[in-house]
């Protein structure tokens, strides 16, 4: 995920975040996660260091902690131990120095880190080329002043301004450079315990220099096994794209299959710490597997883990896994990725390490409003020899009746989890764009239509075939609702959930859960055979039992001799092409009309391009004059650029999606669903594509003041009337024949529904609703049909949160935001600020606060508390007009908490 977007939101208009990377800062044996952004302004560069919570999506998720100018006093050195250098997938440790200050960082292996390092070194090189023209960095003063004002630096990481660690003599030697601008790689002795290097100009282009690495690592020369990867680099153009395309088409000529064993394991540990050896699970095979992919769920159930994504249990369980790997082989840790309690660890036999490349990791949360990470997935993709593999570990929605929510979680993970390519101009990889997909986790599908006694009787008879016919996952796969094309082995073990912790006894609690196969392993791809699929009853730490599967997978390897011949033949054929040929394509259609576009409801149509010319072609949607992007923000083309071989074709999805930022002007008719796309062929002509549609106005993205003027559903109102009423809202002297409503009727309908049906609903405002039900609720609010709201309580609750999030002006208008922060410690001052709000905003605030106080009266049933509600609602009711750091977030929560206590009026 591109986290530079979150950083960009914190910057002024004249500053630009070129690239960003998440990393760990190493300080005094303490490791803490940070987000680094390379920021440019007037050809000067600086590294901005941010604290963050979870995956940084918006400015609200990050807080600026320090700034390091990229000047002549700056240096960056890679520092790795011999053990770390042994694995291609190992993280990269770098030491950043500025004057007498020093910072050691660990960057995750992958193209994102390589891109960041190459851009930093490019900026550094530019400074060194002109040592006389010293950068002034006046533009960073406004940020450094803000840092001092907020004082957000933790004691575990000292701010750069007070770090006094002197660079050791070795580093001083390493960072020496020619003042005229030549960065020279040092050839000194590496006899110590660490190896260091300054990045050379070659490395700054994104091709790592691996001379220091030992024999376990593949050389960076153009060997047959990595030529295909070299061709994906950005500097290769049309000719090389054609070579790559032809190589892929003729892959069977120079590749062969070789079998490797993959151990897949999944374990929901219920927030426990390791209390027993994991060897019965991880070393259950006679022969050591070639690769381990081990997934955990519910690693930590604490609120700290949920809100801050930090947990000591990560290290504890990683150590437990490391000690339990098969004793007859040596393994190297390639990658670990975690989202709250969902963790995936990837090990490989050391003799295979040199054949692992292109390692990337990503996460996606599917909790409420699609952001919280208590449910979701983590994934690792990598290339093994010539096969692309993706491993997904997911934890889907709980509760027996929520199978549709689990289906939606699966679809969200598939669509939203994407891996960035080495070439940032190329579209990202999705899960399904891999030769092999391995999916593990607590999928949470249950057994339906049988009571607990019937289930236990079938288990006692070991009649797993009959029991499996009642399994929700099997039924959903049979309906092709989820996991289309995936395979699961036959289940010959008893359900893995729910047991009394520390025993093999089924759940004896008051809820007495029906046993179920929650923990599953599936795969998709060719040349895959399963050797075993089993649970491990010997482990009793959790209320789940771990599950394992060993798959033997045919991996594509390259025959160097035939590869060379194929490559040379392709080049000869390309040389015969006549360069004069002009590329051309045929379009399936040039006009697209989207009917009844609705808020937050995706629509897509397919544009097919057929290359009817005599040569291959490259296409790209380009900007029109005086426009910054190729299309309006509610429209995207996927892919926006690409390559088509002669006689080939490509399908482009034209997608329309109206969100909180684009809805306000569309609701009032100030913008229309109208756009002209310009499709450009390299060395060819341009094609013009018309996109039109009719947008149905929504209460979502409409102001509180305007909604209070509407007694009829918004879609029954002419857009001209909506515009006139919206203009009247800014004129206090304007006469209105009708008295406005106290609060928007749409808000009343949602709150009233929840008040009557959901005050005792468990996990209300914490569990997401169903997408299909959200769409029905929005339609009901916008059309008035039907009279009462459809959908579950959770769906109505999420619809309410989305309504508040979509308001163009929040409940507490932006102009009152600073007063709220200043008043947060005094309940009377807070109430005074609310009394100053415009009447309709004041009414909405008090109405919501009263409703939430009613919810808190039933906290024993709904499991809510003041902190949960304040955290959820304060960020929606009191939105910052610019950027909100952690200190401001705490103040907004404190402000709103005054209105949630029983004493509030």
């Amino acid at each position: 995920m591109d986290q530079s977007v979150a950083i960009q939101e914190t910057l002024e208009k004249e500053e630009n975040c070129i690239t960003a990377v998440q990393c760990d800062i190493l300080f005094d044996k303490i490791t803490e996660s940070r987000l680094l952004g390379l920021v440019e302004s007037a050809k000067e560069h600086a590294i901005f260091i941010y604290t963050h919570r979870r995956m940084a999506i918006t400015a609200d998720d990050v807080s600026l902690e320090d700034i390091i100018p990229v000047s002549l006093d700056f240096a960056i050195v890679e520092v790795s131990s011999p053990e770390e250098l042994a694995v291609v997938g190992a993280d990269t440790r770098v030491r950043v120095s500025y004057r007498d200050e020093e910072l050691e960082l660990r960057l995750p292996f992958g193209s994102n880190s390589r891109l960041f390092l190459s851009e930093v070194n490019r900026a550094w090189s530019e400074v060194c080329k002109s040592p006389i023209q010293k950068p002034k960095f006046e533009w960073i003063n406004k940020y450094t002043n803000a840092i001092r004002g907020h004082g957000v630096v933790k004691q575990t990481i000292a701010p750069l301004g007070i770090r006094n660690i002197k660079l050791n003599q070795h580093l001083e030697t390493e960072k020496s450079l020619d003042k005229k601008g030549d960065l020279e790689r040092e050839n000194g002795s590496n006899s110590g315990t660490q190896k260091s290097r300054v990045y050379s100009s070659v490395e700054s282009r994104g091709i790592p220099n691996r001379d220091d690495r030992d024999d376990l690592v593949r050389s960076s020369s153009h060997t047959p096994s990595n030529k295909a990867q070299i061709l994906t680099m950005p500097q290769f153009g049309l000719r090389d794209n054609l070579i790559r395309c032809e190589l892929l088409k003729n892959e069977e000529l120079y590749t062969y299959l070789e079998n490797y064993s993959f151990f897949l394991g999944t374990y929901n540990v219920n927030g426990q710490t390791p209390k027993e050896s994991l060897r019965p699970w991880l070393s259950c095979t006679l022969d050591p597997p070639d690769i381990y992919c081990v997934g955990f769920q519910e690693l930590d159930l604490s609120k700290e883990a949920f809100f801050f994504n930090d947990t000591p249990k990560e290290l504890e369980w990683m150590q437990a896994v490391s000690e339990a790997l098969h004793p007859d082989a040596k393994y190297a840790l390639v990658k670990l990725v975690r989202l709250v309690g969902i963790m995936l660890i990837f090990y490989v036999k050391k003799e295979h390490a040199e054949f692992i490349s292109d390692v990337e990791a990503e996460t996606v949360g599917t909790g409420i409003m699609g952001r919280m990470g208590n449910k979701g997935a983590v994934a690792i993709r990598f290339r093994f020899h010539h096969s692309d593999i993706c491993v997904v570990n997911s934890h889907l929605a709980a509760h027996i009746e929520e199978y549709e929510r689990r289906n939606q979680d699966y679809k969200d993970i598939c669509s939203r989890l994407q891996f960035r390519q080495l070439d940032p101009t190329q579209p990202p990889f999705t899960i399904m764009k891999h030769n092999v997909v391995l999916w593990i986790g607590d999928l949470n599908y249950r057994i339906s239509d049988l009571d607990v006694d019937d289930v236990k009787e079938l288990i006692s008879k070991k009649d797993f075939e009959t029991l499996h016919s009642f399994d929700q996952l099997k039924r959903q796969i049979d309906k092709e609702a989820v996991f289309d094309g995936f395979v699961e082995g036959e289940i010959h073990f008893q359900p893995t959930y729910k047991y009394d912790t520390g025993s093999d006894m089924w759940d004896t609690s008051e809820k007495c859960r029906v046993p179920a196969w929650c923990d599953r392993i599936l795969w998709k791809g060719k040349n895959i055979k399963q050797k075993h699929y089993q649970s491990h009853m010997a482990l009793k730490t959790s209320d789940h039992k771990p599950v394992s599967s060993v798959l033997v997978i045919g991996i594509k390897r390259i025959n160097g001799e035939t590869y060379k011949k194929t490559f040379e033949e392709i080049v000869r054929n390309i040389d015969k092409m006549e360069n004069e040929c002009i590329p051309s394509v045929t379009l399936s259609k040039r006009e697209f009309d989207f009917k009844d576009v609705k808020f937050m409801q995706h629509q897509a149509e397919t544009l097919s391009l057929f290359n009817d010319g005599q040569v291959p072609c490259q296409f790209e949607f380009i900007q029109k004059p005086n426009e910054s992007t190729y299309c309006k923000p509610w429209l995207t083309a996927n892919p926006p650029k690409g390559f088509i071989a002669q006689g080939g074709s490509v399908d482009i999805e034209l997608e329309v999606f109206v969100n909180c930022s684009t809805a306000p002007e569309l609701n009032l008719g100030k913008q229309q669903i109208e756009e002209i796309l310009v499709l450009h062929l390299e060395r060819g002509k341009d094609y013009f594509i018309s996109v039109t549609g009719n947008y149905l106005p929504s209460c979502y993205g409409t102001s509180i003041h305007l909604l209070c003027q509407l007694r009829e559903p918004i879609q029954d109102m002419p857009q001209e009337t909506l515009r006139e009423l919206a203009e009247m809202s800014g004129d206090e002297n304007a006469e209105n024949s009708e008295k406005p409503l106290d609060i928007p009727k749409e808000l009343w309908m949602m709150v009233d529904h929840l008040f009557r049906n959901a005050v005792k609903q468990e996990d209300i405002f914490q569990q997401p609703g169903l997408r299909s039900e959200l769409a029905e609720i929005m339609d009901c609010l916008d059309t008035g049909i039907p009279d009462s709201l459809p959908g579950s309580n959770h769906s109505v609750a999420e619809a309410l949160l989305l309504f508040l999030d979509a308001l163009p002006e929040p409940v507490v208008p932006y102009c009152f935001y600073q007063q709220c922060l200043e008043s947060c410690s005094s309940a009377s001052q807070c109430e005074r600020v609310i009394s100053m709000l415009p009447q309709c905003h004041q009414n909405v605030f008090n109405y919501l606060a009263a409703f939430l106080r009613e919810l808190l009266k039933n906290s024993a049933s709904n499991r809510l508390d003041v902190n949960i509600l304040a955290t959820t609602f304060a960020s929606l009711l009191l939105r910052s007009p610019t950027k909100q750091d952690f200190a401001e977030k705490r103040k907004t929560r404190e402000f709103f908490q005054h209105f949630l206590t029983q004493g509030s009026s």
Side-chain angles (χ1 to χ4, degrees):
M1 177 174 183
D2 185 6
Q3 298 184 82
S4 63
V5 176
I7 293 178
Q8 189 64 52
E9 290 183 13
T10 71
L11 304 175
E12 300 292 340
K13 289 183 179 179
E14 59 271 18
E15 278 95 59
N16 177 43
C17 180
I18 298 172
T19 183
V21 66
Q22 192 171 326
C23 73
D24 290 330
I25 289 187
L26 311 175
F27 179 73
D28 228 8
K29 298 183 179 179
I30 296 173
T31 300
E32 291 200 6
S33 181
R34 292 294 187 272
L35 185 62
L36 306 182
L38 179 63
V39 178
E40 183 267 341
S41 179
K43 298 185 178 180
E44 295 180 352
H45 297 79
I47 296 175
F48 281 43
I49 304 176
Y50 293 82
T51 58
H52 65 100
R53 296 197 304 180
R54 303 180 298 276
M55 181 64 71
I57 299 172
T58 69
D60 293 338
D61 300 321
V62 298
S63 180
L64 182 61
E65 182 180 53
D66 266 320
I67 300 174
I68 306 176
V70 179
S71 67
L72 286 172
D73 299 313
F74 170 89
I76 183 166
V77 181
E78 183 174 346
V79 184
S80 302
S81 67
E83 290 75 19
E84 290 171 324
L85 291 171
V87 185
V88 172
D91 292 342
T92 303
R93 284 172 55 201
V94 299
R95 184 179 292 130
V96 176
S97 59
Y98 180 69
R99 295 179 180 168
D100 290 333
E101 301 151 4
E102 174 186 314
L103 198 62
E104 193 161 311
L105 312 172
R106 183 170 64 220
L107 278 64
F109 182 87
S111 62
N112 199 23
S113 294
R114 293 196 296 274
L115 176 63
F116 180 84
L117 291 172
S118 67
E119 291 293 343
V120 169
N121 278 279
R122 185 177 289 114
W124 186 23
S125 300
E126 290 300 319
V127 172
C128 296
K129 287 176 182 177
S130 305
I132 300 174
Q133 301 175 356
K134 292 186 177 180
K136 297 179 180 179
F137 293 106
E138 293 175 351
W139 58 278
I140 69 173
N141 291 337
K142 55 182 174 285
Y143 298 107
T144 54
N145 293 336
I147 293 170
R148 295 189 194 101
H150 291 304
V152 296
V153 180
K154 293 187 178 181
Q155 292 302 312
T156 52
I157 303 290
L160 285 174
I162 63 170
R163 288 194 191 101
N164 231 357
I165 305 172
K166 298 290 184 181
L167 295 177
N168 59 46
Q169 187 175 358
H170 180 69
L171 175 59
E172 288 291 351
T173 306
E174 285 281 323
K175 77 169 189 176
S176 62
L177 52 87
D178 188 331
K179 291 293 183 178
K180 295 181 179 178
D182 292 330
L183 300 179
E184 297 182 350
R185 180 185 175 88
E186 189 174 359
N187 295 317
S189 170
N190 287 319
S191 58
T193 59
Q194 291 194 330
K195 300 180 182 180
S196 304
R197 69 172 182 265
V198 177
Y199 286 90
S200 68
S201 58
V202 174
E203 291 171 301
S204 71
R205 292 197 298 270
I207 306 174
N209 189 330
R210 298 174 179 171
D211 293 345
D212 284 346
R213 304 196 173 196
D214 62 25
D215 292 339
L216 282 177
V217 181
R218 178 170 61 216
S219 165
S220 61
S221 62
H222 288 202
T223 60
S225 58
N226 68 12
K227 270 186 180 174
Q229 298 166 48
I230 296 295
L231 288 174
T232 67
M233 297 297 294
Q235 61 263 38
F236 287 86
L238 176 60
R239 177 184 176 85
D240 301 288
N241 276 330
L242 177 57
I243 293 173
R244 182 176 54 186
C245 180
E246 292 299 312
L247 282 170
L248 289 173
K249 279 168 45 177
N250 293 280
E251 201 173 59
E252 71 281 356
L253 298 178
Y254 58 87
T255 60
Y256 63 96
L257 294 179
E258 186 168 319
N259 288 333
Y260 294 88
S261 59
F262 285 62
F263 181 101
L264 307 176
T266 178
Y267 194 7
N268 182 318
V269 296
N270 192 32
Q272 304 296 311
T273 55
K275 299 172 183 174
E276 55 194 341
S277 170
L278 303 182
R279 282 226 164 152
W281 172 37
L282 300 179
S283 296
C284 63
T285 59
L286 183 62
D287 299 317
D290 296 302
I291 284 176
Y292 275 98
C293 298
V294 182
F296 293 93
Q297 306 83 39
E298 295 191 359
L299 201 73
D300 193 330
L301 299 176
S302 68
K303 288 182 180 178
E304 290 75 20
F306 178 70
F307 286 117
F308 299 101
N309 198 22
D310 286 331
T311 173
K313 293 180 180 177
E314 174 183 307
L315 186 59
E316 294 171 359
W317 281 102
M318 187 179 74
Q319 184 68 27
V321 169
S322 178
E323 294 171 353
L325 299 177
H326 204 290
D328 295 341
K330 291 184 178 181
Y331 292 90
L333 173 63
V334 179
K335 194 68 185 169
L336 180 150
V337 59
R338 181 175 61 82
L339 174 69
V340 188
I342 311 169
M343 183 167 77
L344 178 60
I345 312 177
F346 170 27
Y347 284 91
V348 63
K349 271 185 181 178
K350 284 196 172 182
E351 57 262 38
H352 302 318
E354 61 176 307
F355 303 109
I356 300 286
S357 62
D358 296 357
V359 182
E360 301 286 349
E362 276 296 349
T363 68
V364 61
T366 59
I368 194 157
M369 295 182 74
R371 285 184 59 179
M372 296 303 187
N374 54 326
K375 293 292 189 289
V378 299
I380 296 172
R381 78 165 300 271
F382 59 96
R383 169 164 282 212
F384 185 32
H385 289 289
H386 203 62
S387 292
D388 291 318
I389 299 168
C390 180
V391 186
V392 183
N393 174 28
S394 67
H395 191 189
L396 308 186
H399 307 302
I400 189 168
E401 70 279 2
E402 294 288 348
Y403 67 90
E404 288 185 356
R405 174 68 217 185
R406 290 187 273 279
N407 293 355
Q408 180 176 300
D409 285 351
Y410 164 79
K411 293 171 185 175
D412 282 351
I413 291 165
C414 289
S415 63
R416 291 173 51 209
L417 201 150
Q418 299 182 335
F419 302 94
R420 181 185 300 186
Q421 292 203 51
L422 190 59
D423 178 359
T425 66
Q426 294 298 315
F429 282 114
T430 59
I431 291 173
M432 300 307 169
K433 286 185 179 178
H434 291 82
N435 304 121
V436 174
V437 180
L438 309 173
W439 199 302
I440 64 178
D442 179 358
L443 307 187
N444 249 326
Y445 287 94
R446 309 301 174 91
I447 291 172
S448 298
D449 303 329
L450 288 177
D451 63 32
V452 64
D453 293 329
D454 292 335
V455 171
K456 289 179 179 178
E457 183 179 354
L458 288 172
I459 293 171
S460 65
K461 296 178 180 178
K462 297 191 182 301
D463 189 357
F464 299 132
E465 184 177 356
T466 300
L467 186 61
H468 191 222
S469 65
F470 293 91
D471 175 68
Q472 289 179 342
L473 179 57
K474 180 184 185 303
R475 291 180 172 182
Q476 295 305 305
I477 290 176
D478 289 345
K479 291 179 180 178
E480 298 182 349
V482 290
F483 291 102
D484 185 32
F486 279 81
V487 179
E488 182 181 24
E490 292 186 11
I491 297 179
H492 297 297
F493 52 88
Q494 68 185 50
T496 55
Y497 175 82
K498 179 182 183 181
Y499 296 87
D500 287 341
T501 301
S503 76
D504 292 334
M505 294 181 58
W506 297 115
D507 179 27
T508 58
S509 69
E510 184 180 345
K511 292 183 178 179
C512 192
R513 303 281 192 191
V514 177
W517 286 294
C518 290
D519 311 282
R520 312 291 274 267
I521 297 174
L522 301 94
W523 70 87
K524 183 175 185 177
K526 298 178 180 178
N527 306 305
I528 303 175
K529 293 182 180 179
Q530 189 174 60
K531 288 183 67 175
H532 86 233
Y533 188 25
Q534 66 187 64
S535 66
H536 299 269
M537 298 295 293
L539 272 67
K540 299 178 172 61
T541 297
S542 173
D543 55 357
H544 289 247
K545 298 297 181 183
V547 173
S548 70
S549 171
V550 172
L551 301 178
V552 177
I553 303 178
I555 299 296
K556 289 185 287 186
R557 297 197 62 173
I558 291 178
N559 183 307
E561 184 90 18
T562 55
Y563 175 90
K564 182 180 178 182
K565 291 179 181 178
T566 305
F567 185 89
E568 290 171 349
E569 180 66 22
I570 290 171
V571 171
R572 277 195 297 270
N573 290 336
I574 292 173
D575 289 339
K576 294 176 183 177
M577 284 187 177
E578 294 186 8
N579 292 329
E580 307 83 61
C581 292
I582 302 298
S584 67
V585 295
T586 299
L587 282 63
S588 57
K589 56 192 293 190
R590 300 198 186 197
E591 295 182 355
F592 292 84
D593 186 38
F594 290 84
K595 303 291 186 184
D596 296 339
V597 177
K598 299 178 182 179
F599 177 79
M600 294 283 282
Q601 293 190 31
H602 176 271
Q603 283 196 41
E605 290 201 32
T606 301
L607 165 65
S608 297
L609 306 181
F610 173 72
N611 184 351
D612 57 359
Q614 300 301 307
V615 290
C617 69
Q618 286 192 161
F619 69 87
E620 181 178 6
F621 289 98
I622 60 172
Q623 304 162 7
K624 296 182 286 295
N626 302 319
E627 294 191 7
S628 58
T629 58
Y630 71 85
C631 68
K632 291 179 179 170
W634 43 261
L635 176 65
T636 55
N638 188 24
K641 60 190 296 186
F643 171 85
I644 315 176
Q646 181 186 355
S649 62
V650 67
D651 288 338
I652 300 171
E653 290 292 310
L654 299 181
E655 303 172 352
V656 171
F657 185 75
V658 177
N659 58 19
C660 300
S661 63
T662 52
E665 294 201 335
L666 287 167
N667 283 334
L668 301 179
K670 293 181 179 179
Q671 289 280 341
Q672 305 292 331
I673 302 294
E674 292 178 354
E675 179 62 296
I676 299 293
L677 294 175
V678 181
L679 179 69
H680 172 72
L681 297 188
E682 186 175 314
R683 298 187 302 110
K685 64 178 183 177
D686 294 341
Y687 300 81
F688 298 93
I689 299 157
S690 169
V691 178
T692 58
N694 69 300
Y695 178 72
L696 301 179
S698 174
C699 62
Y700 286 77
T702 301
S703 71
I704 291 175
H705 188 280
L706 177 55
L707 290 174
C708 286
Q709 309 295 322
L710 305 182
R711 295 183 177 273
E712 301 298 323
I714 192 169
Q715 289 185 13
D716 289 349
M717 306 292 294
Q719 279 197 327
E720 186 177 342
T721 304
L722 294 177
R723 276 198 303 275
E724 291 174 356
L725 290 172
E727 290 167 0
M728 287 172 55
S729 67
D731 184 0
E732 296 181 359
N733 299 318
E735 293 185 8
N736 191 353
S737 58
E738 261 188 303
K739 181 181 181 295
L741 301 171
D742 290 334
I743 61 172
K745 60 187 178 302
E746 296 85 358
L747 176 69
W748 176 85
M749 287 180 68
M750 289 184 282
V751 172
D752 181 67
H753 177 98
L754 295 171
F755 179 75
R756 288 185 288 104
N757 300 295
V759 290
K760 295 185 178 181
Q761 176 74 55
E762 185 177 342
D763 293 334
I764 194 70
F765 291 115
Q766 296 181 81
Q767 182 174 321
L770 280 173
R771 182 104 6 94
S772 58
E773 292 180 352
L774 282 171
E776 292 173 1
I777 292 166
M778 291 178 186
D779 284 346
C780 174
L781 295 174
D782 291 336
T783 63
I785 303 170
D787 294 332
S788 58
L789 291 178
S792 68
N793 292 335
H794 293 300
S795 295
V796 175
E798 187 166 9
L800 173 59
L801 296 178
L802 286 170
F803 175 85
L804 298 173
D805 190 46
L807 289 171
E809 183 87 7
V811 175
V812 177
Y814 291 124
C815 59
F816 291 91
Y817 178 77
Q818 195 59 39
Q819 294 180 58
C820 292
L821 298 183
E822 295 167 356
S823 308
C824 68
S825 58
S826 168
S828 60
Q829 289 294 318
C830 293
E831 291 181 3
R832 188 182 69 82
V833 174
I834 295 303
S835 69
M836 297 164 57
L837 303 185
Q839 191 60 53
C840 55
H841 286 254
Q842 185 181 148
N843 294 342
V844 169
F845 185 94
N846 289 329
Y847 182 62
L848 287 169
F851 165 62
L852 297 179
R853 289 196 296 273
E854 289 298 318
L855 287 181
L856 290 172
K857 292 177 183 178
N858 295 274
S859 58
S861 302
N862 58 37
R863 302 202 305 178
L864 291 172
D865 60 36
V866 170
N867 285 330
I868 291 173
L869 288 181
T871 299
T872 302
F873 279 86
S875 62
L876 300 173
L877 303 181
L878 286 81
R879 299 205 304 264
S880 170
T882 52
K883 182 255 182 188
Q884 191 180 55
D885 61 25
F886 291 149
E888 290 182 5
K889 280 191 172 185
R890 284 195 296 270
K891 288 182 178 180
T892 58
R893 286 199 300 270
E894 187 178 350
F895 179 95
F896 192 54
Q897 281 176 352
H898 292 300
F899 298 90
L900 296 179
T901 55
Q902 293 294 329
S904 295
S905 58

